[in-house]
Amino acid sequence: MENLIIGDELAKKLAQQLNLDFILIEDRVFPDGETQPRLEKEKEINKAVLILQKKQNENINTYLIKYFLLLRKIKELAQEIICIMPYFPYARQDSVFQEGESLSSLYIAELIEKNSDVFITCNMHEHRKKIGDLFKIPAHNIFLFQNLAEEFKDFSLDNSVVVGPDKESEAFVNDFCKKFPARKIIFQKTRDVKTGKISFVYDKNYDFTNKDVIIVDDIVSTGRTILQAAEIIKELKAKTISFAFVHSIFGDKAIEQLNKINPKKIVFTNTLESSNFSVDIAKPLAKYLLENKLI
């Protein structure tokens, strides 16, 4: 029996990085919406690594059901399963805010760990709960901001400012600046609970004039929050504005929104399917697996 990578095109890249054989997943969705993923071939496996991207036009719940079905199938074939979910759905639903709500992130984790031995994700949104609070099996959260920072080697440190759009982004900015040690500024974001309107508080003493500003965050969905921060910075006479983030929830659609402000650079990863990503996570994933003796 051998170690195998199972999944999609991202999985194929990971297999190439690790010099391991690869089994492709074939997708089938019935007219009523039911999904039937199929392993291209079936064989006994020592250690299986399952990795799948959520596709651009795929419903997040369809993605999860497909993943659960594959995990259960692979459990029949493999002695050990490493589950890699590059983007962990429902991570932001990590607390019960109103009576009767589901603690969704914990429930998803409980379903995953029933059929896997190790869980790996990338930049899970650890706000109120850490990854170890959710999983009973060994669970790993790989941080990719230093990989994003590598894409800004052509920027001048002296003329650049790294901005976090809210308090939660401070850890992301700090990680990014380990590789790109420019000046850091963290905005404070407030949201009107009735209107949903967002406003920002920031250090009015800092002069953004003629600076190259890089706005860093973990997740971009509609892009409204970082676009509003960018508009403020633009009004303060910044020379250029760039964006660096890990997860593009709506893929190319999110990038279309960010392009409205004519940024100098947009840098993000392929944790979710997109045609415009800058950082391929296959290499850092392979490095992490080898360094931690997981494969």
Side-chain angles (χ1 to χ4, degrees):
M1 291 189 292
E2 58 185 324
N3 298 337
L4 288 171
I5 309 295
I6 301 172
D8 49 19
E9 286 303 311
L10 177 59
K12 186 176 182 179
K13 291 179 183 180
L14 181 61
Q16 290 168 347
Q17 289 286 333
L18 294 168
N19 196 29
L20 292 175
D21 284 341
F22 163 71
I23 296 178
L24 179 68
I25 298 299
E26 296 177 354
D27 272 347
R28 185 181 181 189
V29 179
F30 295 99
D32 63 357
E34 290 185 1
T35 182
Q36 177 63 288
R38 175 181 173 272
L39 302 182
E40 192 177 50
K41 55 186 174 182
E42 200 171 309
K43 60 194 299 186
E44 290 188 353
I45 307 164
N46 176 39
K47 185 179 291 187
V49 178
L50 173 63
I51 175 169
L52 288 176
Q53 286 176 314
K54 176 195 166 296
K55 295 180 180 178
Q56 286 212 55
N57 298 318
E58 185 175 40
N59 181 280
I60 195 69
N61 299 311
T62 301
Y63 168 79
L64 278 173
I65 291 295
K66 179 171 69 175
Y67 207 104
F68 293 148
L69 292 174
L70 287 167
L71 274 180
R72 180 61 184 83
K73 175 61 182 177
I74 294 167
K75 191 173 179 65
E76 298 172 5
L77 306 172
Q79 293 187 352
E80 184 178 347
I81 301 175
I82 296 175
C83 167
I84 301 180
M85 195 173 275
Y87 172 72
F88 181 48
Y90 289 91
R92 289 176 284 183
Q93 296 185 30
D94 60 355
S95 186
V96 174
F97 299 98
Q98 298 183 65
E99 184 180 355
E101 285 184 346
S102 300
L103 186 50
S104 304
S105 60
L106 177 63
Y107 301 165
I108 297 296
E110 288 174 345
L111 289 170
I112 290 170
E113 64 193 16
K114 284 182 182 296
N115 292 305
S116 57
D117 301 285
V118 176
F119 178 76
I120 297 172
T121 191
C122 300
N123 282 100
M124 189 187 101
H125 193 78
E126 293 181 311
H127 183 26
R128 285 160 290 265
K129 283 192 168 45
K130 304 298 183 185
I131 194 166
D133 299 325
L134 301 177
F135 288 89
K136 295 183 179 69
I137 60 174
H140 304 258
N141 190 16
I142 301 176
F143 296 94
L144 298 170
F145 284 104
Q146 292 184 47
N147 301 90
L148 297 176
E150 293 279 357
E151 301 298 310
F152 291 89
K153 287 179 178 178
D154 55 329
F155 279 47
S156 164
L157 287 173
D158 292 337
N159 199 58
S160 298
V161 185
V162 182
V163 173
D166 52 32
K167 184 64 178 174
E168 288 179 29
S169 66
E170 185 170 7
F172 315 145
V173 168
N174 289 337
D175 198 22
F176 183 93
C177 287
K178 288 176 182 176
K179 281 283 184 182
F180 189 82
R183 182 186 174 104
K184 299 177 283 190
I185 294 180
I186 309 300
F187 283 16
Q188 303 297 317
K189 181 179 73 176
T190 59
R191 189 189 301 271
D192 188 302
V193 293
K194 292 183 179 179
T195 66
K197 185 178 178 181
I198 294 171
S199 58
F200 295 94
V201 178
Y202 53 93
D203 184 358
K204 298 288 200 310
N205 295 318
Y206 185 74
D207 185 5
F208 284 95
T209 305
N210 290 324
K211 296 294 185 182
D212 294 308
V213 177
I214 306 166
I215 302 176
V216 173
D217 210 349
D218 61 341
I219 298 171
V220 168
S221 49
T222 62
R224 283 196 297 265
T225 297
I226 60 173
L227 270 177
Q228 281 186 245
E231 290 287 359
I232 290 171
I233 294 166
K234 192 174 182 180
E235 289 172 6
L236 295 171
K237 301 180 181 179
K239 181 182 177 183
T240 67
I241 294 171
S242 298
F243 301 104
F245 53 94
V246 177
H247 308 294
S248 180
I249 301 299
F250 294 125
D252 293 345
K253 291 180 181 177
I255 307 309
E256 288 171 14
Q257 292 298 311
L258 298 183
N259 273 323
K260 290 179 179 179
I261 203 167
N262 193 28
K264 183 175 181 179
K265 188 176 286 194
I266 302 176
V267 173
F268 64 103
T269 78
N270 59 339
T271 54
L272 298 110
E273 186 185 53
S274 174
S275 60
N276 299 307
F277 68 90
S278 315
V279 176
D280 188 341
I281 65 170
K283 189 172 181 178
L285 279 176
K287 181 181 178 184
Y288 190 90
L289 287 167
L290 291 171
E291 287 181 348
N292 289 274
K293 297 180 171 57
L294 293 170
I295 195 74

